[in-house]
Amino acid sequence: MTTYDLIMKKRRGGELSEDEIQWLIMSYVSGDVPDYQMSAFLMAVCFSSMTAKETAALTLAMMNSGDVYDLSEELGTCVDKHSTGGVGDKVTLIAAPICAACGVKVPKMSGKGLGHTGGTIDKLESIPGFRTALSHDEFIDIVNKAGFAVASQTGSLVPADKKIYDLRNATATVDCIPLISSSVMSKKLATGASCIVLDVKSGDGAFMKTDEDAESLSLSMISAARSLGRKCSAIITDMSKPLGRNVGNGLEVIEAAEALKGRCPADLYEICMAISAHMMSLAGAGTVDECRIKAEKAISSGDAFCAFEKMTELQGGNSHALTDYSLLGKAKNILEVRSPKSGYINRISCEKTGLIALSLGAGRKTKESSVDPTAGIIFERTVGDHVNKGAVLGTVMSSSVNDLSGIGEEFTKVFGFSEKAVPCRPSVIKEISG
Ligand code: URA
């Protein structure tokens, strides 16, 4: 077997065997296959795609390139979730405590976010004292006590993905369904949950710009998970506008805490209910409809909020900050931004919102940079609302940028206006049950 032959076979649209894929990945990780050959192979996959069997083999080979956990051995049935990423996505902070309150364990391992806003780890680390660098035993102990825990990923999880993802970023091969599917699922499967719910975002703020592509990606990931013996469902959700009202690490913790106390914007609520109902149902807690009722009760009884408080304390965080938000710290500089015109809001650009959040300090420009936990945006208006000229559209805040006037001007360009109201896209677009 030579790398040249495998590149040629894929370039001509052939199907690679499990052994061929396994050999290629192991040889790349060990350094025997150089970057230029792997780049050519990845580009061939972009043009010729992969069958479901090849995608599953690639997922398995990548998963086995590093540490593989079997959490179900230690925790029994447990469920994980993964989001393909979007602006204002704080669903994990709401869905995980809901599941925990309903007796379904959620062991969550996350990476640090690189991009417009931080990841789940960055959001939680805005709580004073909160630790995500947990030993394996500590992680398991907290899941057993609080029903869920969130730990930062270790360096030895799926090294093949780290190496291949860097190469994909440099060779315009990120945007390819079998490559995204194997990258996401190898990491999810390596962390060892027996059930996985995927939140696949669709819209101009997501990797998948159309609902059709989001469905293809969902089916590819579900098929890879099932072929490796895991239960998996996918929910396609809207990312044509930022999710909820708050964007930024500490601000998203506040929005999640408020949601768990029963005060949640409608778009965020619908997605959290769908995701948590599917997580519980996959774990055997009932039908999706029955689990949705349980999820609603977990919020109204306060049990889900209590689970969030308990997990926060066990991970060293000050749980009072989930009620007294001043303990999360306040941005030094705050600017209210007013509407330049009257009309109905017909669009809020995710991409522009993300870039503004990044320039305020809420995200990470490089892996080494740190995030400002107080930075971010609060939207006062959303798509479908009517505004008069001069009404407040939102607030931008930062502790690292002193003069916010330029960013405030940019923020007005995030919004599109029309004379007539436009219908809102549903927040839950499709549920693909496992
Ligand atoms: N997220 C991942 O982890 N991998 C991809 O390929 C795309 C998004």
Side-chain angles (χ1 to χ4, degrees), residues 358-369:
L358 186 62
S359 57
L360 289 166
R364 229 182 233 101
K365 287 180 187 156
T366 67
K367 284 176 202 157
E368 289 70 36
S369 40

Side-chain angles (χ1 to χ4, degrees), residues 149-165:
V150 183
S152 37
Q153 263 162 24
T154 68
S156 47
L157 203 77
V158 194
D161 180 61
K162 222 203 131 306
K163 215 172 160 193
I164 292 173
Y165 199 76

Side-chain angles (χ1 to χ4, degrees), residues 82 84 161 165 168 174 179-181 183-184 187 207:
H82 177 81
T84 56
D161 180 61
Y165 199 76
R168 286 169 60 205
V174 168
L179 297 181
I180 298 175
S181 177
S183 160
V184 169
K187 287 175 286 195
F207 264 116

Side-chain angles (χ1 to χ4, degrees), residues 144-305:
N144 277 323
K145 286 183 175 144
F148 80 113
V150 183
S152 37
Q153 263 162 24
T154 68
S156 47
L157 203 77
V158 194
D161 180 61
K162 222 203 131 306
K163 215 172 160 193
I164 292 173
Y165 199 76
D166 286 347
L167 202 56
R168 286 169 60 205
N169 260 329
T171 56
T173 52
V174 168
D175 191 6
C176 167
I177 287 175
L179 297 181
I180 298 175
S181 177
S182 51
S183 160
V184 169
M185 293 314 289
S186 58
K187 287 175 286 195
K188 282 290 108 181
L189 297 168
T191 57
S194 43
C195 312
I196 301 157
V197 172
L198 302 164
D199 181 357
V200 181
K201 305 287 184 196
S202 169
D204 68 1
F207 264 116
M208 298 293 117
K209 307 288 179 211
T210 66
D211 296 345
E212 291 71 31
D213 281 350
E215 186 161 352
S216 301
L217 178 61
S218 303
L219 294 173
S220 169
M221 293 196 286
I222 289 173
S223 147
R226 287 189 189 156
S227 69
L228 300 177
R230 312 292 172 90
K231 291 189 193 169
C232 184
S233 295
I235 321 294
I236 299 174
T237 64
D238 179 47
M239 192 38 72
S240 63
K241 64 175 176 52
L243 183 54
R245 297 291 177 114
N246 291 10
V247 175
N249 298 298
L251 292 174
E252 292 188 40
V253 168
I254 295 173
E255 192 168 28
E258 285 293 296
L260 291 169
K261 292 172 197 166
R263 295 180 288 269
C264 188
D267 58 344
L268 181 60
Y269 184 78
E270 279 312 309
I271 294 176
C272 290
M273 285 299 122
I275 298 283
S276 38
H278 278 270
M279 288 170 78
M280 288 190 257
S281 182
L282 270 194
T287 66
V288 172
D289 289 345
E290 287 163 354
C291 290
R292 183 175 170 125
I293 293 169
K294 289 186 189 187
E296 283 164 358
K297 281 197 187 137
I299 300 263
S300 57
S301 63
D303 290 350
F305 181 69

Side-chain angles (χ1 to χ4, degrees), residues 337-342 388-391 393 409 412-413 415 417:
V337 183
R338 292 176 185 275
S339 180
K341 55 172 90 166
S342 298
N388 289 322
K389 185 173 174 182
L393 291 170
E409 179 65 31
T412 62
K413 298 180 192 157
F415 297 84
F417 298 91

